[in-house]
């Protein structure tokens, strides 16, 4: 019995990292959403998909940056993460008119999902959505976006694409401090979503 438990635990540990990585594509869609967070790898992947013709429109959600507004009030202006992404995409060949920045000061993936969902409610033709993010974030973001759209009765298909410019694969995640942090953080955030945050979708 003990050996079965040990083997089961080892198997769960082995695949805990790779399960976090979900790759549905790329496939053509009506719109592409680049989630905020790690900027370089997500911007590069988004620009590649755009230039390859997988989606003609890109959505960014304004990211909450804590005391950023306080800095502005005191005359210390800095570029927000969202503005940096916008500028980088343009430099990589994306037309500015093809990028929509949605306001909202999003503090989480759940907030981004709700903001994007509400924006697309009046656009039934946008029924396929590419979600670009870092590999370790793909499973959780797919779960959150899928449930957010389904709760609103929207049949939007979520196509998750991990950035190839991020080295995380989930294999041997326990060997390095950075990958251990990624895996543990993702499972903690998944637990938080299912236990504490999911109910917000019903109230929205």
């Amino acid at each position: 019995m003990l050996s079965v438990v040990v083997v089961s635990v080892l198997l769960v540990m082995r695949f805990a990292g790779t399960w976090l990585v979900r790759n549905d594509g790329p496939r053509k869609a009506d719109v592409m959403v680049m989630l905020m967070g790690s900027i370089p790898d997500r911007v590069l992947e988004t620009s590649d998909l755009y230039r390859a013709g997988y989606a003609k429109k890109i959505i960014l959600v304004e990211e909450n940056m804590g005391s950023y507004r306080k800095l502005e009030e005191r005359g210390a202006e800095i570029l927000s993460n969202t503005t940096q992404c916008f500028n980088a995409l343009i430099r990589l060949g994306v037309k500015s008119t093809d990028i929509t920045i949605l306001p909202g000061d999003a503090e989480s993936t759940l907030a981004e999902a709700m903001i994007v969902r509400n924006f697309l409610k009046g656009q039934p033709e946008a029924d396929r959505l590419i979600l670009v993010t870092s590999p370790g974030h793909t499973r959780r973001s797919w779960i959150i976006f899928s449930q957010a759209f389904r709760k609103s009765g929207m049949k939007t298909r979520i196509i998750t694409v991990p950035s190839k410019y991020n080295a995380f694969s989930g294999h041997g995640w326990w060997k390095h401090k950075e990958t251990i942090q990624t895996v543990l953080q993702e499972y903690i955030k998944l637990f938080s979503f299912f236990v504490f945050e999911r109910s917000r979708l019903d109230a929205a």
Side-chain angles (χ1 to χ4, degrees):
M1 181 63 179
L2 179 60
S3 61
V4 173
V5 173
V6 171
V7 170
S8 298
V9 170
L10 290 175
L11 284 173
V12 169
M13 286 187 62
R14 179 180 179 183
F15 295 107
T18 54
W19 182 81
L20 292 174
V21 183
R22 179 185 173 98
N23 190 346
D24 298 320
R27 299 176 186 179
K28 285 202 170 185
D30 306 292
V31 66
M32 178 161 42
V33 176
M34 192 197 87
L35 297 179
M36 291 293 100
S38 174
I39 294 177
D41 61 310
R42 301 182 190 189
V43 168
L44 286 165
E45 186 66 39
T46 299
S47 67
D48 284 357
L49 294 172
Y50 171 88
R51 289 187 289 108
Y54 285 103
K56 296 180 180 179
K57 298 293 181 181
I58 297 172
I59 293 176
L60 308 175
V61 178
E62 189 70 47
E63 182 183 22
N64 181 285
M65 291 179 59
S67 300
Y68 167 72
R69 302 300 180 196
K70 292 291 184 184
L71 278 175
E72 282 191 331
E73 290 172 6
R74 298 188 185 187
E77 295 186 8
I78 61 172
L79 289 178
S80 69
N81 291 340
T82 311
T83 301
Q84 290 183 62
C85 291
F86 177 83
N87 292 341
L89 286 169
I90 291 174
R91 287 182 176 273
L92 291 174
V94 179
K95 295 180 181 178
S96 60
T97 52
D98 289 338
I99 305 174
T100 299
I101 298 180
L102 302 180
D105 280 339
E107 296 181 328
S108 65
T109 303
L110 176 60
E112 288 179 282
M114 294 168 67
I115 291 168
V116 172
R117 176 195 66 185
N118 293 340
F119 174 73
L120 293 177
K121 272 184 180 178
Q123 304 179 42
E125 71 280 3
D127 59 357
R128 291 167 66 89
L129 182 155
I130 295 175
L131 201 61
V132 179
T133 188
S134 302
H137 184 224
T138 47
R139 178 70 61 177
R140 180 165 61 91
S141 61
W142 178 82
I143 290 172
I144 293 173
F145 268 75
S146 296
Q147 293 205 18
F149 278 80
R150 188 165 59 248
K151 286 283 186 179
S152 287
M154 300 169 68
K155 297 181 180 180
T156 306
R157 182 175 181 183
I158 309 298
I159 302 166
T160 311
V161 179
S163 174
K164 59 182 171 289
Y165 297 97
N166 185 305
F168 181 86
S169 67
H171 294 286
W173 61 270
W174 57 87
K175 297 178 182 179
H176 307 283
K177 180 183 72 174
E178 293 78 9
T179 50
I180 290 173
Q181 290 175 339
T182 296
V183 171
L184 292 181
Q185 287 175 358
E186 283 300 314
Y187 278 101
I188 289 171
K189 290 178 179 180
L190 271 170
F191 175 82
S192 177
F193 170 70
F194 282 112
V195 176
F196 303 110
E197 299 174 336
R198 187 167 52 167
S199 60
R200 289 173 54 190
L201 296 176
D202 297 320

